[in-house]
C-alpha cells in the first residue's frame, strides 16, 4: 500500500551504501564520539539529505516513504548515535530552514546542508526546561539591525561540531510562548561556546550544551516572523515524534531478527532454543507488537505526507513505539543469555541506545498529557503553517 518498486530499489541501494561507507567506521565513531566529516559529504553526494527538499536547492522532492526507508535502515546498523546525527541534521535543523527561511538564507544554509558541506543543529531544550518549551529563558533582544542573543541550550544533537544552529529564543518575554522566535546562528560566531556531554548511549553522536553570551545575530537571520517561533516548533514536533516512532519500530525489528537468528543456531538440552515453547511464544508476542506499531506508523506517515497535521497520532506513535522498542530489545537481549550482556554482541549497545526513545523529543509523560487533552478535553491542534511533506 505504501511502498512501490522504486522505494524497494532505493532501500536496497541505501543498505548497500551503509554497509560499504558507514558500517566499517561505526565502532571507531562509537569509541571517539566523533563522526568524521567525510561521511556527511558522501551522504550529500548521494542525495540522502535532500530526499524531501525542493529541487531548486539541490533536493529530490520525494514522497515521505523515502524518508521512512532512510530512517528504518539507519536503525539497522546498530548505532543510534550515528543515526541521530544524520536525521537531526536532515529533519530537525533543515526542516526549519526549508519552511521558514528566506530565499537568501536557503541559498546560504539549505543548499550546502543538502550537499553535506554544512551540518545543522536544532537548539530548543534548555538546562532548566527540557519538555517545557514555553518556559525557555534564552532571549534575543533587538538592537538596530541585530539581535543580541543570551542564554543556554542543552541535549543538542550535533551541537558541538555543527556549522550553524537553529536557535529558539524569547524576543518578547512578557508574551511567554507567544513571544518566541527562531534564528539561524553561525556556530563560530563570537560568544557561542559548546561542551560535549557524556551520555549513556548514542555514543557516536556529539550532544552538546551550548552557551550564548551577547551573541550578535543579524536581523535577517530571523526565520519566519518574529514571535511566531513557538508555532513553528509545535508544527514540526509532529514530524519529530513520528520520526522517533519509526526509529523505534525499526530498531525493535532489527533486535528481533537478530534474536530469532541466534535462537536458530543456539542449542541447549539437546535441541535448538527456538524449539522451546516459552521462548517461541515470547517471540510471537514481541513480533505482534512490533508489527502493529509499524503499521500504525506507516498510516500516520501517510497522513503527514498528504498534508494532514496528525498531532495525536504522532504523539501516540512515539509514546507506544518507544515503549515497545525498549521492551522488545530487553526481551531480545534475554534470548542471548550471557552473550546479550557482552559488548561484542550488538544488543548491548542497542539496549543503551534505545533508552533515549521515551525521553528525547518529548517525554512519554508529556505525550500522555497531550493525548489526554485531545481525547478527554477535546482540545484541537491546528497547523500554523504549510505542511513539510506533500506527496
Amino acid at each position: 500500500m505504501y511502498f512501490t518498486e522504486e522505494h524497494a530499489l532505493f532501500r536496497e541501494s541505501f543498505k548497500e551504501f551503509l554497509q560499504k561507507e558507514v558500517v566499517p567506521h561505526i565502532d571507531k565513531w562509537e569509541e571517539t564520539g566523533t563522526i568524521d566529516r567525510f561521511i556527511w559529504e558522501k551522504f550529500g553526494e548521494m542525495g540522502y539529505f535532500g530526499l524531501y527538499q525542493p529541487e531548486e536547492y539541490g533536493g529530490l522532492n520525494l514522497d515521505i516513504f523515502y524518508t521512512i526507508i532512510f530512517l528504518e535502515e539507519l536503525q539497522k546498523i546498530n548505532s543510534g548515535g550515528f543515526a541521530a546525527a544524520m536525521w537531526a541534521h536532515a529533519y530537525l535543523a533543515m526542516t526549519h530552514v526549508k519552511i521558514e527561511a528566506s530565499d537568501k538564507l536557503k541559498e546560504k544554509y539549505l543548499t550546502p546542508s543538502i550537499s553535506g558541506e554544512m551540518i545543522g543543529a536544532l537548539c530548543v531544550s534548555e538546562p532548566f526546561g527540557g519538555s517545557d518549551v514555553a518556559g525557555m529563558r534564552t532571549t534575543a533582544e533587538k538592537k538596530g539591525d541585530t539581535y543580541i542573543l543570551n542564554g543556554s541550550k542543552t541535549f543538542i544533537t550535533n551541537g558541538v561540531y555543527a556549522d550553524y544552529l537553529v536557535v529558539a529564543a524569547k524576543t518578547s518575554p512578557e508574551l511567554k510562548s507567544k513571544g518566541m522566535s527562531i534564528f539561524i546562528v553561525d556556530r563560530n560566531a563570537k560568544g557561542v561556546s559548546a561542551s560535549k556531554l557524556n551520555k549513556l548511549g548514542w555514543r557516536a553522536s556529539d550532544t552538546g550544551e551550548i552557551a550564548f553570551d551577547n551573541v550578535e545575530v543579524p536581523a535577517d537571520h530571523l526565520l519566519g516572523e518574529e514571535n511566531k517561533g513557538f508555532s513553528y516548533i509545535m508544527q514540526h514536533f509532529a514530524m519529530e515524534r513520528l520520526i522517533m516512532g519509526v526509529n523505534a519500530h525499526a530498531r525493535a525489528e532489527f533486535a528481533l531478527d537478530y534474536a530469532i537468528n541466534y535462537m536458530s543456531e543456539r542449542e541447549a538440552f539437546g535441541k535448538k532454543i527456538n524449539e522451546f515453547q516459552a521462548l517461541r511464544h515470547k517471540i510471537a508476542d514481541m513480533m505482534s507488537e512490533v508489527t502493529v506499531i509499524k503499521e500504525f506508523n506507516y498510516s500516520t506517515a501517510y497522513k503527514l505526507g498528504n498534508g494532514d497535521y496528525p498531532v495525536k497520532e504522532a504523539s501516540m506513535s512515539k509514546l507506544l513505539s518507544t515503549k515497545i522498542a525498549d521492551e522488545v530489545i530487553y526481551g531480545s537481549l534475554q534470548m542471548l543469555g550471557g552473550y546479550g550482556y557482552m559488548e561484542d554482541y550488538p544488543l548491548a549497545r542497542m539496549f543503551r541506545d534505545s533508552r533515549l526513545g521515551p525521553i528525547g523529543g518529548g517525554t512519554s509523560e508529556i505525550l500522555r498529557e497531550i493525548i489526554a487533552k485531545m481525547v478527554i478535553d477535546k482540545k484541537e491542534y491546528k497547523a500554523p503553517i504549510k505542511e513539510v511533506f506533500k506527496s
Side-chain angles (χ1 to χ4, degrees):
M1 177 177 177
Y2 303 114
F3 298 101
T4 65
E5 183 178 347
E6 287 76 17
H7 287 121
L9 291 172
F10 172 73
R11 187 185 295 275
E12 288 306 311
S13 67
F14 188 44
K15 279 183 181 179
E16 292 175 7
F17 172 85
L18 292 173
Q19 290 300 317
K20 179 182 177 182
E21 304 291 352
V22 177
V23 170
H25 307 284
I26 286 294
D27 288 343
K28 171 192 169 186
W29 295 337
E30 283 283 322
E31 183 177 346
T32 63
T34 303
I35 298 169
D36 293 328
R37 291 289 297 224
F38 78 84
I39 197 62
W40 300 85
E41 295 177 2
K42 284 185 177 290
F43 266 67
E45 289 171 7
M46 296 299 293
Y48 296 138
F49 291 141
L51 297 178
Y52 81 114
Q53 296 288 351
E55 294 179 14
E56 58 263 40
Y57 297 102
L60 300 174
N61 197 30
L62 299 172
D63 68 69
I64 194 170
F65 285 96
Y66 285 92
T67 287
I68 299 301
I69 293 168
F70 176 82
L71 297 171
E72 288 179 329
E73 296 307 319
L74 279 174
Q75 292 298 311
K76 297 178 181 180
I77 57 173
N78 200 28
S79 176
F82 177 82
M86 298 299 112
W87 62 255
H89 166 63
Y91 295 99
L92 301 190
M94 286 173 61
T95 293
H96 283 277
V97 182
K98 173 192 176 184
I99 300 298
E100 292 121 41
S102 64
D103 291 342
K104 177 182 176 182
L105 289 178
K106 287 178 183 176
E107 289 286 354
K108 183 177 180 180
Y109 294 99
L110 187 59
T111 298
S113 293
I114 292 171
S115 69
E117 297 170 77
M118 295 186 78
I119 302 171
L122 177 63
C123 305
V124 177
S125 295
E126 297 191 352
F128 299 99
S131 296
D132 183 12
V133 176
M136 72 170 53
R137 301 181 183 182
T138 299
T139 61
E141 183 181 357
K142 184 75 177 291
K143 288 192 174 182
D145 57 358
T146 63
Y147 288 87
I148 306 301
L149 186 65
N150 283 285
S152 60
K153 302 291 179 179
T154 196
F155 310 137
I156 307 304
T157 301
N158 297 332
V160 177
Y161 300 119
D163 298 294
Y164 66 91
L165 310 172
V166 177
V167 183
K170 292 283 185 68
T171 39
S172 300
E174 70 280 3
L175 299 179
K176 299 182 179 179
S177 65
K178 295 181 179 180
M180 188 183 304
S181 301
I182 309 286
F183 302 88
I184 288 186
V185 180
D186 289 322
R187 172 63 184 82
N188 62 0
K190 183 180 178 181
V192 179
S193 60
S195 56
K196 186 181 290 189
L197 299 172
N198 188 19
K199 311 186 296 294
L200 169 68
W202 283 21
R203 303 292 296 182
S205 68
D206 80 88
T207 302
E209 184 158 306
I210 304 175
F212 305 99
D213 183 10
N214 290 317
V215 179
E216 294 187 7
V217 182
D220 62 2
H221 277 219
L222 172 70
L223 296 184
E225 299 179 43
E226 188 175 84
N227 294 336
K228 297 287 187 179
F230 187 75
S231 295
Y232 300 150
I233 293 169
M234 292 300 104
Q235 166 80 9
H236 304 320
F237 266 170
M239 181 177 71
E240 180 181 358
R241 286 162 181 166
L242 176 60
I243 285 172
M244 296 193 73
V246 171
N247 290 342
H249 85 232
R251 65 176 173 269
E253 195 170 48
F254 175 86
L256 265 178
D257 288 343
Y258 188 90
I260 291 169
N261 183 65
Y262 178 87
M263 292 167 66
S264 72
E265 299 174 351
R266 180 70 170 175
E267 292 189 7
F269 304 102
K271 60 182 179 180
K272 300 288 175 60
I273 66 172
N274 67 1
E275 297 177 37
F276 290 97
Q277 187 181 70
L279 303 187
R280 294 167 63 85
H281 289 187
K282 179 63 175 176
I283 291 292
D285 285 342
M286 293 192 294
M287 186 61 79
S288 298
E289 290 180 315
V290 172
T291 301
V292 168
I293 59 171
K294 180 179 178 180
E295 290 299 320
F296 178 77
N297 290 343
Y298 287 168
S299 172
T300 304
Y302 182 80
K303 291 179 180 180
L304 185 64
N306 280 278
D308 291 346
Y309 185 50
V311 176
K312 181 175 68 176
E313 292 86 349
S315 299
M316 290 174 172
S317 165
K318 182 180 183 299
L319 175 66
L320 278 184
S321 300
T322 56
K323 176 179 179 289
I324 289 171
D326 274 3
E327 293 169 350
V328 166
I329 293 168
Y330 182 97
S332 297
L333 188 153
Q334 186 73 13
M335 297 297 174
L336 275 66
Y339 290 110
Y341 200 65
M342 298 296 107
E343 287 288 345
D344 292 337
Y345 285 72
L347 294 191
R349 179 188 297 164
M350 187 169 288
F351 181 74
R352 289 184 282 106
D353 284 352
S354 184
R355 189 60 186 87
L356 190 277
I359 299 172
T363 66
S364 294
E365 291 74 20
I366 293 293
L367 296 179
R368 289 187 181 100
E369 182 57 25
I370 291 172
I371 296 166
K373 285 180 178 178
M374 298 188 76
V375 301
I376 297 173
D377 304 332
K378 309 302 180 184
K379 182 175 177 62
E380 294 184 3
Y381 294 92
K382 296 181 180 179
I385 53 175
K386 60 186 177 181
E387 69 279 356
V388 174
F389 294 97
K390 186 67 177 178
S391 59

